[in-house]
Amino acid sequence: MTCGRQNQRRAGLALAAAALLLAGCGQSAETKGADGAKGGAAAGASSSSSASAKASVAPLGPGEVRVGGEVAKPYSVTLADLRKLPQASVEVKFTSAKGEQRHTYQGVPLHDVLKTAEPRFDAAKKNGQLRGFVSATGGGDYRALFAWAEIDPGFAKSQVLLAVSEDGVAFDDAAGPRLVVPQDTKGGRYVSELNQLWVGVVDPVVDGAK
């Protein structure tokens, strides 16, 4: 009888342990399921947020130039818009892969176009605008940089233009304007098919450098 009772007790303990183990597995599966659902929801929210951010940046139309960066009033401008603004004319000479180039360009001073966007330079710093720069992007992801002092008539002797015509021939609206840099001896910064002008300041880079 003693052995029988011991066997029954052992069997009972085994069944109880098995029940607890099954309960634990079920709870773990539920937890994993909940975590998976939360993870899926988080991933979905992240994907939705990313898609929303991309959708908020409207695609550029043919020949359109987006002006942005550290500015108070980002906007876009087209060749048609530029033709309505006061024009300047300049004769230039520079070298390129095709050899020496001589042309007469007509267009709008780059400084005027960027000034409309109201760059956010720190007025509390002496000549705060001298900490600024402009990135110009053209067709084929071509990009060139300008220090703000190069385009500001308060510092520069010559002015960079957003040209609307070359030698009296108007650029095609779909091609967009071309940057003209009279002070350059090479044509590397004569950015064609211009589509973006981005204003920045060097402080975050310089102050954060190691």
Side-chain angles (χ1 to χ4, degrees):
M1 292 294 293
T2 302
C3 291
R5 288 177 181 176
Q6 287 179 346
N7 289 336
Q8 288 179 354
R9 184 178 179 185
R10 287 174 182 171
L13 289 173
L15 288 173
L20 287 173
L21 179 61
L22 288 174
C25 289
Q27 184 178 7
S28 176
E30 289 176 2
T31 302
K32 288 182 180 178
D35 290 344
K38 290 178 183 178
S46 176
S47 175
S48 175
S49 175
S50 176
S52 176
K54 290 181 180 178
S56 65
V57 180
L60 290 171
E64 189 175 9
V65 181
R66 179 176 288 127
V67 183
E70 292 297 322
V71 298
K73 297 180 179 179
Y75 74 109
S76 61
V77 64
T78 64
L79 267 176
D81 297 326
L82 293 172
R83 292 191 185 102
K84 298 174 185 177
L85 300 175
Q87 304 288 301
S89 182
V90 63
E91 295 181 3
V92 299
K93 179 178 71 173
F94 59 91
T95 59
S96 71
K98 298 179 180 179
E100 185 176 273
Q101 304 285 314
R102 292 176 180 267
H103 297 289
T104 299
Y105 289 100
Q106 186 175 29
V108 180
L110 175 59
H111 181 262
D112 292 351
V113 173
L114 297 178
K115 187 172 62 175
T116 300
E118 298 183 7
R120 291 193 292 243
F121 299 134
D122 191 346
K125 298 185 184 298
K126 183 178 180 180
N127 289 330
Q129 69 270 39
L130 297 184
R131 299 164 182 255
F133 64 89
V134 179
S135 169
T137 304
D141 194 32
Y142 189 84
R143 184 167 291 162
L145 290 179
F146 298 82
W148 185 264
E150 292 182 272
I151 67 170
D152 190 331
F155 295 92
K157 289 183 178 180
S158 61
Q159 55 186 0
V160 179
L161 294 184
L162 265 69
V164 300
S165 68
E166 180 186 76
D167 299 328
V169 179
F171 291 133
D172 185 87
D173 284 352
R178 182 183 189 186
L179 275 184
V180 172
V181 194
Q183 64 265 36
D184 285 6
T185 58
K186 290 189 176 182
R189 295 198 296 178
Y190 280 61
V191 181
S192 300
E193 298 179 6
L194 188 70
N195 55 55
Q196 184 186 58
L197 292 167
W198 194 92
V199 180
V201 291
V202 300
D203 297 63
V205 177
V206 176
D207 295 342
K210 294 182 179 180

